[in-house]
């Protein structure tokens, strides 16, 4: 008896997706940030800060966009587990993006995500991207931090790379450089406590404590905002800086000139979903930056109750905490500062900072950028 021919396996047909013209693009408020931007960033292992929902939307409260499709338009086979529901008319969020108008001349794109792999390639992302760029306006210099794989696409949209950031990692689990004593305050400088202007009570809710043992100088919100602008190339909204300085999961430290009271260095550390993220670190020179980095690492040791050295140098500590920093690689001193503090660039996550009209930061200031403030809103 003749053997029957083997059946050739068939590939399931690709589900027919609704056209990009079916998208409904909405500006969303701060209440939606945690449900979409924070959640999706965490799913992609971008490791957002736990206080981001209270802080980052204030960079531009009108600049956060979500693209929706009616559930009835989407085949059941492409829906994610949390996208199913009984109401066919309910809208499903499929993509998000932020477009922050920092000032009249500069803006920043971030959180460009099409969450569901099965919905990529349908034109949803590019339609949302164009809406975000339209919101920024053609006159603004638009910036973003692009992963290596997407930089070619951004270049075709008019973006040019001005520098790279590498995500350095410090593992606080053993003695060595990671457990070395904090760098001394450079001569002529003093550690400063950052206070908010116009706040009657400067307790822990309205003031970011530093790891300095003394009270140090008190510097105003206006002074911090101006210093950040000088090292970013664009202004930040005062409400954003105030929220940054008052968030429970963010601690900041600064160095000021003892004679003039002018800020010489400023840095922050944020509690993240995994470990901590350092940024920014802006400083006049490597010595000031080294002190700030050491002070911020000490924040982690204090919060996590990690000793500064293992009781037995031959044994690692049982507790392990990671600290990350997005280091500006165009600053030749930055890599050395973080390496001396015990950070490694092995398997670094690399992004390129890109702008449509060139770097708004003068070349002379790049040497004072050791770690960027955020990859999400610039």
């Amino acid at each position: 008896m003749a053997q029957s021919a083997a059946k050739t396996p068939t590939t399931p047909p690709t589900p027919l997706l609704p056209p990009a013209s079916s998208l409904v693009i909405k500006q969303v408020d701060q209440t939606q940030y945690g449900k979409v931007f924070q959640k999706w960033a965490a799913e992609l292992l971008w490791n957002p800060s736990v206080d981001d929902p209270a802080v980052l939307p204030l960079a531009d409260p009108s600049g956060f966009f979500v693209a929706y499709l009616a559930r009835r338009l989407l085949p059941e086979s492409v829906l994610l587990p949390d996208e199913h529901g009984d109401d066919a008319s309910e809208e499903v969020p499929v993509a998000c993006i932020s477009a922050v108008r920092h000032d009249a001349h500069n803006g920043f794109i971030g959180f460009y995500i099409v969450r569901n792999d099965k919905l990529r390639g349908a034109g949803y992302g590019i339609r949302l991207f164009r809406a975000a760029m339209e919101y920024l306006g053609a006159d603004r210099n638009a910036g973003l931090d692009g992963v290596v794989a997407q930089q070619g696409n951004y270049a075709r949209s008019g973006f040019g790379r001005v520098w790279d950031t590498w995500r350095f990692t410090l593992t606080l689990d053993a003695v060595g450089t990671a457990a070395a004593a904090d760098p001394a305050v450079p001569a002529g400088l003093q550690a400063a406590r950052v206070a908010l202007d116009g706040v009657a009570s400067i307790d822990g809710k309205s003031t970011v404590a530093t790891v300095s043992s003394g009270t140090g100088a008190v510097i105003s919100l206006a002074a911090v905002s101006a210093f950040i602008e000088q090292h970013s190339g664009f202004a930040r909204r005062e409400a954003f800086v105030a929220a940054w300085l008052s968030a429970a999961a963010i601690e900041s430290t600064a160095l000021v000139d003892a004679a003039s009271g002018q800020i010489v260095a400023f840095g922050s550390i944020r509690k993240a979903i995994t470990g901590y993220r350092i940024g920014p670190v802006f400083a006049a020179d490597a010595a000031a930056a080294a002190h700030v980095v050491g002070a911020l690492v000490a924040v982690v040791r204090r919060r996590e109750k990690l000793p500064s050295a293992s009781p037995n140098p031959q044994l690692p500590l049982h507790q392990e905490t990671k600290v990350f920093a997005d280091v500006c690689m165009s600053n030749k001193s930055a890599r050395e500062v973080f390496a001396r503090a015990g950070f490694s660039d092995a398997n670094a996550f690399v992004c390129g900072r890109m702008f449509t009209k060139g770097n708004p930061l003068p070349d002379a200031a790049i040497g004072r950028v050791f770690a960027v403030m955020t990859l999400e809103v610039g």
Side-chain angles (χ1 to χ4, degrees), residues 160-249:
R161 184 168 59 87
V162 300
W163 70 41
D164 288 333
T165 57
W166 288 21
R167 181 162 293 177
F168 282 47
T169 304
L170 169 67
T171 301
L172 294 177
D173 66 346
V175 295
T177 55
D182 301 332
V185 177
L189 304 179
Q190 65 180 132
R193 174 169 71 91
V194 181
L196 299 182
D197 280 333
V199 178
S201 174
I202 50 174
D203 56 17
K205 294 182 180 179
S206 59
T207 301
V208 178
T210 71
V211 298
S212 173
S213 58
T215 57
V218 176
I219 51 180
S220 68
L221 172 62
V224 175
S225 295
F227 190 78
I228 292 172
E229 179 178 355
Q230 292 165 11
H231 295 80
S232 301
F234 42 80
R236 310 280 179 151
R237 293 168 191 254
E238 188 172 277
F240 168 76
V241 179
W244 184 277
L245 296 179
S246 59

Side-chain angles (χ1 to χ4, degrees), residues 2 35 82 104 121 240 266 289 294 305 345 347 353:
K35 297 177 182 178
D82 62 357
F240 168 76
F266 175 82
K305 297 180 172 59
D345 63 359
N347 303 313
R353 180 149 291 190

Side-chain angles (χ1 to χ4, degrees), residues 37-374:
F37 294 84
Q38 182 84 346
K39 178 182 178 181
W40 294 4
E43 290 174 348
L44 290 171
L45 304 181
W46 289 2
N47 198 27
S49 168
V50 297
D51 263 355
D52 281 357
V55 177
L56 296 194
L58 297 180
D60 182 353
S62 300
F64 290 76
F65 299 83
V66 176
Y68 297 86
L69 285 170
R71 185 179 285 114
R72 60 180 172 78
L73 299 177
L74 290 166
E76 286 286 323
S77 60
V78 305
L79 293 175
L80 296 173
D82 62 357
E83 294 174 339
H84 291 272
D86 297 328
D87 185 355
S89 65
E90 185 178 358
E91 292 177 327
V92 175
V94 298
C96 70
I97 199 167
S98 61
V100 172
R101 293 173 173 174
H102 280 302
D103 55 34
H105 307 289
N106 298 281
F108 207 86
I109 296 290
F111 291 105
Y112 183 23
I113 302 171
V114 177
R115 182 193 184 199
N116 189 337
D117 289 344
K118 295 177 181 178
L119 300 182
R120 293 175 183 165
Y124 303 149
I126 191 61
R127 181 165 180 232
L128 183 59
F129 180 83
R130 288 169 179 162
M133 292 295 290
E134 182 178 348
Y135 171 77
L136 291 183
D139 292 337
R140 278 189 178 84
N141 185 10
L144 56 78
D145 285 304
V147 297
V148 175
Q150 294 298 323
Q151 288 176 16
N153 290 330
Y154 295 133
R156 285 186 284 276
S157 294
F159 288 80
R161 184 168 59 87
V162 300
W163 70 41
D164 288 333
T165 57
W166 288 21
R167 181 162 293 177
F168 282 47
T169 304
L170 169 67
T171 301
L172 294 177
D173 66 346
V175 295
T177 55
D182 301 332
V185 177
L189 304 179
Q190 65 180 132
R193 174 169 71 91
V194 181
L196 299 182
D197 280 333
V199 178
S201 174
I202 50 174
D203 56 17
K205 294 182 180 179
S206 59
T207 301
V208 178
T210 71
V211 298
S212 173
S213 58
T215 57
V218 176
I219 51 180
S220 68
L221 172 62
V224 175
S225 295
F227 190 78
I228 292 172
E229 179 178 355
Q230 292 165 11
H231 295 80
S232 301
F234 42 80
R236 310 280 179 151
R237 293 168 191 254
E238 188 172 277
F240 168 76
V241 179
W244 184 277
L245 296 179
S246 59
I250 303 177
E251 292 199 36
S252 299
T253 191
L255 291 175
V256 300
D257 184 278
S260 68
Q262 296 295 309
I263 302 175
V264 174
F266 175 82
S268 300
I269 190 163
R270 297 185 283 165
K271 180 73 178 74
I273 291 177
T274 299
Y276 292 78
R277 290 175 63 176
I278 285 178
V281 175
F282 301 146
D285 53 40
H291 170 81
V292 168
V293 171
L296 296 175
V297 170
V299 169
V300 179
R301 292 196 177 279
R302 172 171 52 80
R303 286 197 171 201
E304 301 296 324
K305 297 180 172 59
L306 291 172
S308 59
S310 172
N312 183 343
Q314 304 303 316
L315 297 176
L317 301 174
H318 294 295
Q319 189 174 356
E320 177 180 289
T321 301
K322 291 190 180 296
V323 185
F324 307 94
D326 293 307
V327 177
C328 175
M329 299 304 287
S330 289
N331 180 351
K332 295 180 180 179
S333 298
R335 185 172 191 162
E336 182 178 349
V337 165
F338 280 93
R340 285 183 174 178
F343 287 76
S344 169
D345 63 359
N347 303 313
F349 173 64
V350 178
C351 279
R353 180 149 291 190
M354 309 178 76
F355 290 95
T356 55
K357 301 179 187 295
N359 195 348
L361 192 66
D363 290 345
I366 294 175
R368 301 194 295 269
V369 178
F370 289 79
V372 299
M373 193 162 192
T374 76

